[in-house]
Every structure is written in structure tokens, then in C-alpha cells.
Amino acid sequence: MRTQVIIIGGGPSGLLLGQLLDRSGIETVTLERKSKAYVLSRIRAGVLETGLVDQLHAAGVGERLKAEGFVHDGTVISYGDTQIRVDFAEHTNANVTVYGQTEVTHDLYAAREALKAQMVFDVENVQIEDADSDAPSVVYTKDGTQHRITCDYIAGCDGFHGVSRKTIPDTVLREYEKVYPFGWLGVLSETPPVHDELIYASSKAGFALCSMRNENLSRYYIQCAIDDSPQNWTDDAFWTTLRERIPQEYAETLVTGPSIEKSIAPLRSFVSEPMRWGRLFLCGDAAHIVPPTGAKGLNTAASDVHYLSQGLIQYYDTGDTGGIDNYSAKALARVWKAERFSWWMTSLLHQFPDQSEFDLRMQQAEIDFLQSSDQAQAVLAQNYVGLPY
Ligand code: APR
Ligand code: PHB
């Protein structure tokens, strides 16, 4: 079998890339390790930058997002009972849309099926061969039978644990990583959100985040120990801890209820360079990971998809390889800025096990400066709504 672009991974990156390429007449085959149901069962963040919203509309999947997404023009940063509302509209000409990643994935799958996209699920033993040649191919097993697909290019959209990044030789690949000494315990509850905007709350007891999915579905997180387990937390213990970490006015009005999902995510910053090796391109979590504090995971995957899809469309339309030749440098330039913002938000708002009294005073001084400086709030707003592509 032969195709133009093989996409490894059917998560948000692979789905959006495939949809944009197919709609431009470029033939793709997507290989996904799990089932569609498994991919759709993942609970992930839900803050979309304008760039991603625009791409979803360009991919023909913007209708439900437009009807059900919540446009936010600001967010609240709190430190103890100090509250700072960062006004996106005052400092930028952009906003963010709150719409669960699960919904984005669901909409993309519906669109892929409508296009009769070539997608193979439950694949095993995926191997990339001859990526550094002019005749790359991918070998995989499906239902016990081995298959080979030859292609022009391979998009590695297979996430942090995928095969694509590992295909790049150690002599070529450079990796940068910071693992944070804590995790996030997240709860989904069928309760009205405590506030109509997100609240990033820091306190001496630790970090908490109040988010939402819709007017009766809330998403909350609390900083927890790196080796903690959801089984260690009753719902009551979660709600009590959340109340301790958010400003009093919200602690008093918080509506609690049974958790319908409870999980812990580790926090890490990670970047691998380059994002291209021969005819293999890395895209999204396959190349980089951010701590969720800046809501940049999905949004940085989206800018990768933008650069890669534009480069491939340019190549197939004109034969000009300028876009794909510049992909890695262009994508990484924006990736590192997202890494910086996510690291800064994480360092500012969390309690670190080994922090000194000086470190605490630095956090307090940073918060005081943010509260007193329009320019500081403008910098946060510009990064949060998304830097230009
Ligand atoms: N072969 C085929 N598919 C694979 C393989 C493999 N060897 N390894 C992993 N996959 C699939 C996974 O099952 C998953 O569905 O690749 C997909 C990768 O999806 P994500 O991990 O979601 O990464 P990405 O599509 O880049 O999306 C990034 O989604 O997970 C969040 O935090 C992440 O918000 C970020 C965004
Ligand atoms: C979420 O709603 O899951 C969410 C929102 C903002 C973040 C992280 C997670 O920074």
C-alpha cells in the first residue's frame, strides 16, 4: 500500500493534521494504537487559544464549538485572599474558548468519518523504516497480520510514549526535561462552576485550579504529592482541601457533589529537538510536554499542526519544500515560549517541597508585581491567549 502522508497517532494532533491535509486533497492514512472509544474516554484540559479555534473552523469542525464553547475574556490569579483578574480584552485583541478536549476529539472523529478518512485502530508493533531516505515506510500489525505502507512523509503524532521520537537516532536527538516534585489531582463533578472564569489559586497549603466544561460540569484540580493516588482521596477530603486553597468568597459558595472522574497527572516540562528527521516530523506531545498550569498542551500541538499542514500543502501544491524545511525551527520557536510561560506559571503558583523562605518571598513579590503592574498583566494575558503563530 502507498499513500502521501502517514500519520501515527489518532489524538488531537493526528486528527487535526489529517483533517486539514485531507481537505486539501492530500492523501493520508492514520494509524492509532488504541480504539476510538479509548481515545474518546481521555479526560484532558479544555482551554482553546484563538489559533486552535480558527484551525478547527478551517477543518470544518467549528459548529458545536461555536454553539457550546464558552468565550472567556479573563482569568483570576489568586494568592491567599489576594485576587488579580487578568483582563484579556484590555491587554490583547484575543480571548480563549473553554471547550473540553474530549469534545474537540469527538468533533474531529465525526469529521474524519464524514470524510471517510483512512484510519486504522488497534494497531500494534508500529515501526518507522527509512525515515532518513526518499522512500520511508511504516510497518504495523493489525489482527495478527503485518502490513507495510510506503509514503512521502510521516507525521509522528503519537504522543510522549509513542514510537516516532524514539526513531530519531540518539546522535541527532537532544532532549530537555524538568520534572516537578508534585502532581495534580483532578476531579470532574456535575456541579455548577464556582465562578464564571477560571481561578488559578495559590496558597501556603498549595495550588488549586477551578475550571469548568459547561454550566453544570466543573473541573477542579489540587496540587498533590508526586507519589499520591486518587484512592487516597475521598470526595469530602478533596472538597475540604480545595476550599482551603481558594479565596474565601469562592470557598463559601462552592457547590460540591460526587466526583464522576478522579485522576492524578504528573507535571513535567519536556522538549525534544529537532522536530524533523529526514521525512519524519514530530508533532504535539510526541515532541514536547508542558505542565498544565498554562493550558498550553493542546494549543502548542495546534501550532505544530498549523506549521506542518501549511508546509505539506505548500509542497504538494507547488513542489516548494520551504515550509517543511523550516518546520522544526518555526515550531520550536513557539514551543519554547509556551514552555517558558507554563514553567513560570507553575513556579509562581505551586508550593515546592524544598522551597526556602526566600523562595516564598520571591513568589509573593512576583504576585505583588503582577497585581501592581498593567504591563505584567499584559505579558500574562498575551501568553495565556496564545502568542502569534
Ligand atoms: N502507534 C500508533 N498510535 C500510537 C502509538 C503508536 N506506537 N503510540 C501512541 N499512539 C497514540 C495514542 O494512543 C494517542 O491516541 O497516539 C495518540 C497521541 O495522542 P496524545 O497523547 O493526546 O498527543 P497529541 O495528539 O499530540 O495531543 C496533545 O493532547 O494528550 C493531550 O496533553 C496533551 O493537550 C495535549 C494534546
Ligand atoms: C481544565 O479545564 O482541565 C484546565 C484548564 C486550564 C488549565 C489546565 C486544565 O490550565
Side-chain angles (χ1 to χ4, degrees):
M1 182 183 181
R2 175 170 178 73
T3 190
Q4 289 176 308
V5 179
I6 295 175
I7 298 171
I8 303 176
S13 298
L15 291 166
L16 181 56
L17 178 65
Q19 188 67 3
L20 292 169
L21 294 181
D22 282 350
R23 282 169 64 96
S24 298
I26 298 169
E27 190 186 279
T28 70
V29 175
T30 300
L31 305 176
E32 167 53 52
R33 179 166 62 178
K34 299 292 187 181
S35 68
K36 172 185 161 188
Y38 184 95
V39 176
L40 286 171
S41 69
R42 293 174 181 142
I43 302 285
R44 293 281 161 72
V47 173
L48 279 53
E49 294 175 358
T50 308
L52 173 53
V53 171
D54 292 347
Q55 285 199 90
L56 290 169
H57 282 289
V61 291
E63 284 316 304
R64 196 160 73 98
L65 165 62
K66 188 175 179 181
E68 299 176 18
F70 294 83
V71 174
H72 283 205
D73 287 315
T75 189
V76 173
I77 307 287
S78 72
Y79 194 83
D81 273 322
T82 300
Q83 291 186 54
I84 305 162
R85 182 180 182 265
V86 178
D87 188 327
F88 304 146
E90 179 186 341
H91 300 297
T92 76
N93 58 2
N95 50 47
V96 295
T97 300
V98 172
Y99 187 72
Q101 181 175 312
T102 309
E103 306 316 316
V104 171
T105 310
H106 187 283
D107 295 345
L108 282 166
Y109 266 118
R112 303 298 286 132
E113 286 162 5
L115 271 189
K116 296 188 176 9
Q118 296 186 79
M119 301 192 72
V120 187
F121 292 98
D122 299 308
V123 300
E124 297 175 291
N125 310 315
V126 173
Q127 290 173 10
I128 297 167
E129 296 189 356
D130 304 318
D132 58 340
S133 77
D134 288 340
S137 62
V138 174
V139 176
Y140 67 94
T141 305
K142 167 75 175 172
D143 299 332
T145 303
Q146 191 177 68
H147 302 265
R148 177 186 294 275
I149 307 178
T150 57
C151 60
D152 298 331
Y153 293 104
I154 302 164
C157 301
D158 46 353
F160 183 72
H161 301 288
V163 67
S164 297
R165 187 178 70 252
K166 295 165 189 159
T167 300
I168 300 178
D170 291 345
T171 53
V172 173
L173 201 64
R174 297 180 303 280
E175 295 183 337
Y176 306 84
E177 184 172 49
K178 179 179 182 63
V179 177
Y180 298 89
F182 40 73
W184 278 18
L185 169 62
V187 157
L188 201 61
S189 62
E190 289 174 332
T191 53
V194 72
H195 187 44
D196 57 6
E197 292 182 334
L198 273 64
I199 303 170
Y200 290 84
S202 177
S203 74
K204 295 207 182 325
F207 172 82
L209 170 61
C210 303
S211 184
M212 75 275 299
R213 292 290 177 272
N214 60 48
E215 58 274 343
N216 199 43
L217 192 60
S218 297
R219 181 68 166 164
Y220 295 104
Y221 299 92
I222 57 173
Q223 175 184 345
C224 64
I226 195 167
D227 58 356
D228 210 336
S229 161
Q231 286 71 33
N232 295 337
W233 290 83
T234 62
D235 286 358
D236 285 348
F238 179 86
W239 296 122
T240 300
T241 302
L242 180 67
R243 282 200 179 94
E244 289 166 355
R245 298 184 182 182
I246 61 179
Q248 191 62 33
E249 68 176 283
Y250 301 118
E252 288 168 356
T253 57
L254 177 70
V255 176
T256 65
S259 59
I260 58 175
E261 195 271 348
K262 190 185 288 177
S263 56
I264 289 181
L267 275 68
R268 90 161 40 120
S269 299
F270 174 84
V271 179
S272 63
E273 297 181 348
M275 289 176 59
R276 176 193 186 177
W277 182 61
R279 289 178 174 258
L280 168 64
F281 300 97
L282 302 184
C283 190
D285 275 18
H288 43 76
I289 298 286
V290 284
T293 328
K296 291 300 165 202
L298 180 58
N299 292 300
T300 312
S303 49
D304 292 349
V305 167
H306 172 77
Y307 299 135
L308 183 54
S309 61
Q310 292 295 303
L312 288 168
I313 291 165
Q314 177 190 40
Y315 167 70
Y316 282 106
D317 282 354
T318 69
D320 181 345
T321 61
I324 51 181
D325 292 342
N326 195 32
Y327 165 71
S328 181
K330 196 163 181 120
L332 283 166
R334 194 174 188 275
V335 162
W336 277 112
K337 295 184 182 77
E339 292 283 344
R340 182 209 68 82
F341 177 66
S342 304
W343 161 81
W344 178 79
M345 283 278 279
T346 304
S347 304
L348 174 64
L349 299 173
H350 289 76
Q351 298 303 299
F352 288 70
D354 60 350
Q355 70 194 11
S356 64
E357 282 305 311
F358 179 83
D359 296 330
L360 276 173
R361 296 306 293 265
M362 287 297 97
Q363 285 186 338
Q364 181 66 64
E366 189 85 50
I367 290 289
D368 293 348
F369 179 63
L370 184 65
Q371 186 173 36
S372 63
S373 167
D374 278 349
Q375 291 78 6
Q377 291 179 32
V379 168
L380 193 156
Q382 288 158 17
N383 281 276
Y384 195 89
V385 301
L387 298 178
Y389 280 7

